[in-house]
Amino acid sequence: MRSLKSTLYSIRWILWSLLAFSTLSVLFFLDHTLGLMRQSGKSYTVAYAVLVTPGLILQFSPVFSARLFRLLTGTYKSIIWNCAYIVVAVNIFSDPFPRRVSFFLAFTPYAIFILAELIRIFKQNKNYKIKVFVVLLSITTVMLWLPGGYAPPFYNGIAGWTKVYENPIDRTERPLGGFQITNKSGERIWFSYGIVSPINFVMRHFYAYRKKYPNNMNDIIDFYLASYCFNYDILRDGTFPYQRNLGRFGYPGHTPYVLYNYEKFPPSELVLFELVTEFRGVNDGALRDRVTSLSFDAAGALRRVGCVPSKDD
């Protein structure tokens, strides 16, 4: 009987090893022939060794228990080792795709038996609330397991946030659009959209408002400048409004907004709030041209919202 169990564990290890090797071979092929990922052969070799490691560990522990309780309480050493190798495996790659595949392979033995246990609980319980909970938990488990699920450690946000793709078109200049504020000295600076709408795309809030209320633009400009006035003290110190309480641990904006140095732009010194497009050189960053689409009286708006005292006060 013991010999049979040992044989079964060996077969499982071999299957695991073949699956890991096949997966990494495909990734290696995609990388070096199609250029889909920028990884070296050495990285894949190390990743393969890491993925095979749990196969060796599983031979000496009852991870393949059919009961969730036993899986979670009777295999502490195995769980610790497997969690450790999961962390290592998913951090070998910088590209999200191989990290997701690595996590998929790592989580497979757990996901199978967790789902099997959930199915058993679903069948044995007649309580409606329990059944709904089991269904939702099963969906969550599948989302965490299958490649592409949005969960640590391979969640990387929306494509394009952190990776800049090469543009085959050779451009000499690039347009940059957004709001700018101007002080009494004539100095300009970009008005970061994270001040007013960190959970949204850049400018989406403004364009939506302009489309619905084209004849009442002063209200939204008043809102922007009132937000700037209210948050100026922390903006001057280099902190976004959504970081007021938690600092750098605050939930980040939908877009990686840039916080500029607003020390020379206190509310009392602002004169203009403008929607502009700048054209700058790709190589040197030099300003080639600036087009102003809309211009608003910043000082008047700040007086309307009570930020800057009125001349009549």
Side-chain angles (χ1 to χ4, degrees):
M1 184 68 179
R2 187 175 184 84
S3 177
L4 178 60
K5 287 185 177 180
S6 178
T7 301
L8 291 176
Y9 282 133
S10 297
I11 292 175
R12 287 165 178 162
W13 172 77
I14 293 173
L15 292 176
W16 184 289
S17 177
L18 290 175
L19 179 60
F21 179 76
S22 300
T23 303
L24 294 173
S25 297
V26 171
L27 297 178
F28 184 86
F29 172 78
L30 294 175
D31 180 30
H32 288 268
T33 59
L34 303 180
L36 298 183
M37 294 178 295
R38 297 181 179 181
Q39 298 291 334
S40 65
K42 183 179 179 180
S43 296
Y44 285 101
T45 302
V46 174
Y48 167 66
V50 173
L51 289 172
V52 169
T53 300
L56 296 173
I57 298 172
L58 295 178
Q59 294 186 81
F60 303 101
S61 61
V63 164
F64 286 91
S65 167
R67 300 299 297 272
L68 180 60
F69 178 79
R70 187 178 175 190
L71 172 65
L72 296 178
T73 60
T75 59
Y76 293 117
K77 183 183 295 185
S78 176
I79 291 176
I80 291 173
W81 275 102
N82 277 274
C83 289
Y85 105 80
I86 286 175
V87 172
V88 174
V90 298
N91 283 283
I92 284 178
F93 306 104
S94 60
D95 191 274
F97 177 68
R99 294 171 70 182
R100 290 170 178 170
V101 173
S102 299
F103 184 84
F104 170 77
L105 294 174
F107 196 59
T108 294
Y110 299 108
I112 291 176
F113 292 104
I114 288 175
L115 291 172
E117 182 68 9
L118 289 173
I119 292 173
R120 184 190 67 80
I121 295 174
F122 182 87
K123 290 180 177 179
Q124 292 183 356
N125 282 273
K126 297 181 179 180
N127 188 301
Y128 173 76
K129 293 182 179 180
I130 294 179
K131 285 183 176 292
V132 171
F133 176 78
V134 169
V135 169
L136 294 177
L137 187 58
S138 300
I139 294 174
T140 302
T141 302
V142 172
M143 290 178 64
L144 296 177
W145 177 32
L146 296 179
Y150 288 92
F154 45 73
Y155 175 71
N156 67 316
I158 295 176
W161 277 11
T162 58
K163 185 174 182 179
V164 179
Y165 294 90
E166 296 181 0
N167 193 332
I169 302 176
D170 182 19
R171 296 179 176 175
T172 58
E173 63 181 24
R174 180 173 297 168
L176 301 172
F179 289 115
Q180 287 185 348
I181 50 178
T182 306
N183 60 18
K184 292 179 181 179
S185 301
E187 297 174 293
R188 293 172 172 268
I189 195 170
W190 291 103
F191 180 88
S192 178
Y193 212 59
I195 298 173
V196 294
S197 187
I199 62 172
N200 217 328
F201 283 117
V202 175
M203 302 301 296
R204 176 182 285 181
H205 180 262
F206 172 77
Y207 289 132
Y209 187 93
R210 186 174 67 172
K211 183 178 181 180
K212 191 170 184 178
Y213 308 104
N215 299 321
N216 196 24
M217 297 303 298
N218 281 337
D219 283 354
I220 192 170
I221 302 305
D222 289 355
F223 166 69
Y224 286 169
L225 289 171
S227 298
Y228 181 81
C229 179
F230 178 78
N231 294 294
Y232 179 72
D233 288 341
I234 63 173
L235 291 171
R236 180 182 52 195
D237 296 335
T239 303
F240 268 123
Y242 57 79
Q243 299 172 324
R244 178 183 295 274
N245 297 318
L246 298 180
R248 64 188 182 90
F249 295 103
Y251 192 81
H254 190 279
T255 304
Y257 299 102
V258 176
L259 184 60
Y260 300 93
N261 184 0
Y262 294 107
E263 188 173 356
K264 296 182 180 180
F265 296 85
S268 59
E269 291 292 312
L270 301 187
V271 293
L272 290 175
F273 186 87
E274 298 177 312
L275 179 62
V276 303
T277 301
E278 289 188 349
F279 296 88
R280 292 185 175 270
V282 173
N283 297 323
D284 56 11
L287 178 64
R288 305 287 179 82
D289 191 16
R290 178 188 290 116
V291 178
T292 301
S293 303
L294 295 171
S295 182
F296 300 92
D297 178 13
L302 289 167
R303 286 194 295 270
R304 286 195 299 270
V305 298
C307 180
V308 177
S310 173
K311 295 179 180 179
D312 299 329
D313 293 343

